[in-house]
Amino acid sequence: MTRRNFISSLGALFLAGCGSGDNFDTTTTSTSVGSLATAITPALTPTLIPTPTSTPIPPEATPPETTPPPASTAFVHPGLLHTQADFDRMSQKVKASAAPWIDGWNILIANSHASLNYNPRPQTAIYRGNDGVHGQNYPLLYQDIAAAYACALRWKISGDELYAKKAVAILNDWSKLTLIGGDTNGDLVAGLQGYQFANAAEIMRSYSGWAAADLAAFQDMMRTVFYRINHDFLIRHNGTEVTHYWANWDLCNMASIMAIGVLCDDHSMFNEAVDYFKNGAGNGAVSQAVYYMHPGYLGQWQETGRDQGHNTLGIALMGPICEMAWNQGVDLYGYDNNRFLAGAEYVAKANLIESGSTFYTVPYIPYNNIDHVNQTAFSTSGQGIGRPAWALVYNHYVNRKGLAAPYSRKFAAQMQPEGGGGNYGPNSGGYDQLGYGTLTCARDAIASGAAPSGLTAIASQGQVELSWWGSAYASSYSVKRGTVAGGPYATIATSISDLLTYTDSGLAAGTYYYVVTAQTPSGASAVSNETTAITAVQLLAYLALDDGSGTTAADSSGQGHAATLVNGAIWATGKKGGAVSLNGSNGYLSLPADIVADVADVTIATWVYWNASSKWARVFDFGTGTGHYMMLTARNNNGFPRFAITANGTSGEQGIDSNTALPIGQWTHIAVTLSGNVGTLYVNGNAVGSNNAMVLAPFRLGSTSQNWIGRSQFANDPYFNGLIDEFRIYRGALSATQVAALM
């Protein structure tokens, strides 16, 4: 990349700024690309942004650090973005003038925020957004935080106590902050500047010159001013439907809660952030932020259809969350099969030049939310933007873990050496991340890559789609298949590179076992984990409901998926033998968790006898709440049955609507099948609705703990009032003839 193009990419960064012209909120964004890029150009000078080095990996080699430090009841300090071991490494490398650390150090010391002459401007109240009364003054805060952090780094790396005193003076001045106000954009200040401020203070807590009373005062301010807003936002989202806010709103507030938790030695705060990362309802939870997993583990980010400024900010926020957790013994980097890496690789690839002026292409599925943004295509707005966020991603996954992260690696090299606040212009976008990742995150090159890992198989329409994580130094991969667990395996594909996916086609119905090996500089690697694919139609659950007593409905499939009768569910006479009667007020059947968690193509069929018509009463509803579910309702708003599946609430539903009503007072057979992108709804053996654009499948819901017959994920929906009999779930889509035969 030429220096001219590098500077241009930095200018595009301010698409994603959090200034008054671009507030992250769909209702407030107004500033154009051109005006922002023009506004920041004068700030980008050669003395602050040197040409990136051409060698992204230093020559030294170290063994992998494959696990985080062991978690303990006491927090590690310093233990947010940087530990003492990290500072020791930085100091040693800088003293040795080793690249790329020395390049990062030179960026730091040239930054005006890292100067003893920097003049802070503390306030007692900060405002962002228009409240009709106060002017916005939040730039004073983010600039002073950049100064506190930069001076803290200079002290820890050089040992010069003058910078420690400077950093502490800034922190003490801001301890008098009592209010963050403005409009809802104040939530962004509380999040973005909250996690950054806590990081600066976490570094300085080890300085003996920071009086205990002053540290306590700062901690109290972080609790009462920042955390209060962070917590309220995640639980209420300002009273909006949860998909209204983009992922970055959640992410910055999660980061702040986690950082304040460590700073204040508060495990409940820290655990609150970890739990939201894994299980939160909002778009910042990792399963929502990395919205859709394409083959080869390219994870489409939630803001991909919006613009690339906000898309890259997601990486700059989730990365620090993962690093802060790692330093306290919690591995969020690896959670859900490295889901964050999948998102990072997608975003990096989408914003890198493949050749000339042409960007790489990435797959995309449409995204919608409660505000009906209806984003049908990848947004090229701000494409190519550069944020100082990639050194952290690359060095964790490649130099700690030994995995391949080719696009994160390219972006880290392109951004090297990364600057900090003040190196990317005066607007808020240049301060949305602390930066300096080349200095703080660079690690010696790992000695050898890990074996391929995370291999998964998706069986659909008689073929198997495989995806896996690669090895740091691998040049290609081979896929092997067996018919017995543990092998022997036959090699079915070789010389696979770049996108790590392979589709095994033309398979007979059966069960297959796969492994992958990598070709490395030292030869073939060890095999990956083994994954299993079943291409035959398989009965997963068969509730004949003939038990007649007790609260357990036996599963006759042999898969162990018995159901439990709950509340007003009782035994009754059915279409064939017995049945379960549901009272319409609180009775339902509960199936085991994750019953369809590894299923792509599926058939669900049952006999129902509906006593009374009520909109949105469920025949079944499998999910984890109102964000992720797969349901069949007896009557939608138009009076007809509807099947729907979503990973993003009601606005993200992909549905099949019947063209005929479900009768009342008689036994009716109802079934739904999903086969690839085709979904079909049947009533009494006849197809009554179809959808040929179903890109979601049961496994994309992830882990489901609320798999119910007769009950909805939505608390206000009515329960099913009637009888259920012969409930079946199949792995695989039955044909129309087979569905009719079930009757």
Side-chain angles (χ1 to χ4, degrees):
M1 176 182 241
T2 67
R3 175 168 177 75
R4 182 174 182 178
N5 289 338
F6 180 59
I7 296 298
S8 297
S9 74
L10 294 174
L13 175 62
F14 298 93
L15 256 178
C18 301
S20 58
D22 186 11
N23 296 318
F24 283 32
D25 196 323
T26 57
T27 61
T28 57
T29 302
S30 61
T31 309
S32 68
V33 179
S35 63
L36 284 165
T38 302
I40 59 89
T41 300
L44 300 171
T45 63
T47 57
L48 293 182
I49 310 293
T51 303
T53 61
S54 60
T55 306
I57 301 179
E60 296 88 357
T62 58
E65 179 188 333
T66 56
T67 59
S72 66
T73 55
F75 283 111
V76 174
H77 296 298
L80 286 176
L81 284 176
H82 320 301
T83 65
Q84 186 57 49
D86 294 330
F87 286 118
D88 291 343
R89 179 184 67 249
M90 296 177 219
S91 181
Q92 292 165 7
K93 297 296 186 180
V94 169
K95 287 178 181 177
S97 295
W101 295 270
I102 191 63
D103 303 315
W105 173 254
N106 288 335
I107 284 280
L108 170 66
I109 63 176
N111 190 304
S112 63
H113 295 82
S115 169
L116 296 176
N117 295 322
Y118 179 85
N119 293 315
R121 290 171 289 176
Q123 307 289 307
T124 58
I126 284 294
Y127 299 94
R128 175 171 179 168
N130 182 17
D131 65 359
V133 178
H134 304 93
Q136 297 189 97
N137 63 348
Y138 71 99
L140 302 178
L141 176 60
Y142 65 63
Q143 291 191 39
D144 282 6
I145 292 173
Y149 178 69
C151 290
L153 289 181
R154 289 197 71 166
W155 166 62
K156 286 293 285 187
I157 296 170
S158 72
D160 189 335
E161 190 177 5
L162 291 177
Y163 291 96
K165 292 178 178 179
K166 186 69 175 181
V168 164
I170 296 171
L171 297 173
N172 285 343
D173 285 345
W174 278 95
S175 293
K176 301 173 182 64
L177 181 68
T178 60
L179 174 69
I180 296 174
D183 59 17
T184 57
N185 285 281
D187 295 329
L188 293 174
V189 171
L192 292 166
Q193 278 63 65
Y195 98 85
Q196 294 173 0
F197 229 164
N199 266 273
E202 176 70 8
I203 296 172
M204 296 312 305
R205 71 183 301 150
S206 61
Y207 173 52
S208 60
W210 196 8
D214 290 339
L215 171 59
F218 188 87
Q219 291 170 320
D220 183 67
M221 183 273 294
M222 294 300 294
R223 280 180 178 275
T224 58
V225 178
F226 286 89
Y227 172 73
R228 179 182 58 82
I229 297 173
N230 303 147
H231 174 73
D232 181 73
F233 179 80
L234 290 186
I235 62 173
R236 289 196 319 108
H237 290 90
N238 292 313
T240 65
E241 198 272 347
V242 72
T243 64
H244 167 72
Y245 284 98
W246 300 97
N248 291 337
W249 289 74
D250 275 3
L251 286 169
C252 66
N253 282 283
M254 292 158 58
S256 183
I257 290 173
M258 178 176 285
I260 296 170
V262 174
L263 177 67
C264 297
D265 290 293
D266 190 319
H267 284 275
S268 64
M269 282 189 197
F270 180 83
N271 293 337
E272 178 183 355
V274 170
D275 182 66
Y276 201 95
F277 180 97
K278 295 178 178 180
N279 306 307
N283 285 321
V286 68
S287 62
Q288 297 296 103
V290 185
Y291 175 66
Y292 186 90
M293 196 71 72
H294 295 279
Y297 296 148
L298 284 179
Q300 182 175 321
W301 201 266
Q302 189 256 348
E303 304 200 40
T304 297
R306 186 186 183 194
D307 65 66
Q308 297 313 303
H310 290 95
N311 219 27
T312 54
L313 178 57
I315 307 304
L317 289 171
M318 189 172 283
I321 291 171
C322 292
E323 183 68 12
M324 292 187 295
W326 176 274
N327 286 332
Q328 296 300 332
V330 178
D331 186 7
L332 297 183
Y333 281 116
Y335 181 75
D336 196 10
N337 195 14
N338 302 310
R339 195 173 184 93
F340 171 55
L341 177 58
E345 284 292 281
Y346 180 96
V347 173
K349 184 175 184 179
N351 286 279
L352 285 167
I353 295 290
E354 182 174 17
S355 63
S357 59
T358 303
F359 288 94
Y360 286 102
T361 59
V362 291
Y364 181 84
I365 67 160
Y367 175 83
N368 201 6
N369 68 2
I370 194 65
D371 301 310
H372 305 293
V373 294
N374 197 25
Q375 295 165 346
T376 60
F378 175 91
S379 174
T380 59
S381 177
Q383 192 172 17
I385 188 172
R387 283 187 184 271
W390 296 98
L392 181 151
V393 178
Y394 163 67
N395 279 282
H396 172 79
Y397 285 109
V398 178
N399 288 331
R400 264 189 187 146
K401 300 292 290 182
L403 303 180
Y407 299 104
S408 297
R409 174 182 179 137
K410 289 179 181 179
F411 226 133
Q414 176 176 298
M415 293 301 299
Q416 188 171 295
E418 292 180 358
N423 288 120
Y424 302 99
N427 298 330
S428 61
Y431 293 82
D432 285 345
Q433 52 283 308
L434 287 167
Y436 302 116
T438 305
L439 171 64
T440 60
C441 299
R443 310 178 75 84
D444 289 331
I446 195 168
S448 60
S453 60
L455 177 65
T456 57
I458 300 169
S460 176
Q461 297 181 302
Q463 60 185 22
V464 177
E465 175 192 285
L466 300 168
S467 296
W468 63 93
W469 291 112
S471 178
Y473 298 124
S475 57
S476 65
Y477 300 85
S478 298
V479 177
K480 303 179 180 184
R481 182 185 67 210
T483 55
V484 178
Y489 308 104
T491 300
I492 59 172
T494 61
S495 302
I496 299 171
S497 60
D498 192 20
L499 193 61
L500 303 187
T501 183
Y502 176 75
T503 299
D504 193 12
S505 304
L507 294 168
T511 301
Y512 300 93
Y513 303 88
Y514 296 89
V515 294
V516 170
T517 59
Q519 188 62 37
T520 73
S522 57
S525 73
V527 298
S528 69
N529 61 295
E530 179 182 81
T531 192
T532 306
I534 300 171
T535 58
V537 173
Q538 179 188 53
L539 189 60
L540 286 181
Y542 173 30
L543 307 181
L545 301 176
D546 294 332
D547 308 78
S549 63
T551 58
T552 299
D555 172 24
S556 300
S557 73
Q559 302 293 331
H561 293 146
T564 302
L565 280 68
V566 183
N567 298 328
I570 61 174
W571 299 107
T573 301
K575 172 70 176 177
K576 300 179 180 180
V580 165
S581 176
L582 304 177
N583 63 5
S585 59
N586 65 355
Y588 65 99
L589 287 159
S590 179
L591 284 160
D594 301 333
I595 191 168
V596 291
D598 64 345
V599 175
D601 294 351
V602 71
T603 302
I604 303 179
T606 189
W607 284 96
V608 300
Y609 188 103
W610 203 13
N611 290 328
S613 173
S614 53
K615 291 180 181 178
W616 301 114
R618 299 294 201 263
V619 176
F620 66 83
D621 196 334
F622 298 170
T624 53
T626 58
H628 287 214
Y629 57 83
M630 175 178 70
M631 69 86 178
L632 175 62
T633 182
R635 183 181 181 187
N636 63 11
N637 278 333
N638 296 322
F640 300 138
R642 172 178 171 81
F643 170 83
I645 183 171
T646 182
N648 193 43
T650 57
S651 55
E653 283 188 355
Q654 297 173 9
I656 311 168
D657 292 302
S658 172
N659 58 19
T660 184
L662 192 71
I664 298 173
Q666 66 185 67
W667 282 103
T668 304
H669 191 262
I670 191 165
V672 62
T673 64
L674 293 178
S675 178
N677 291 342
V678 179
T680 308
L681 184 60
Y682 297 87
V683 173
N684 287 331
N686 300 310
V688 295
S690 65
N691 184 339
N692 296 329
M694 303 285 287
V695 299
L696 296 179
F699 77 91
R700 295 195 182 275
L701 300 179
S703 178
T704 59
S705 57
Q706 298 175 171
N707 302 317
W708 297 326
I709 300 171
R711 179 182 174 183
S712 170
Q713 304 292 327
F714 291 82
N716 292 332
D717 285 344
Y719 286 70
F720 187 85
N721 184 350
L723 302 169
I724 302 288
D725 197 6
E726 296 285 311
F727 190 92
R728 303 170 188 252
I729 304 174
Y730 292 88
R731 181 194 305 274
L734 298 184
S735 67
T737 300
Q738 291 171 320
V739 170
L742 287 182
M743 295 181 61

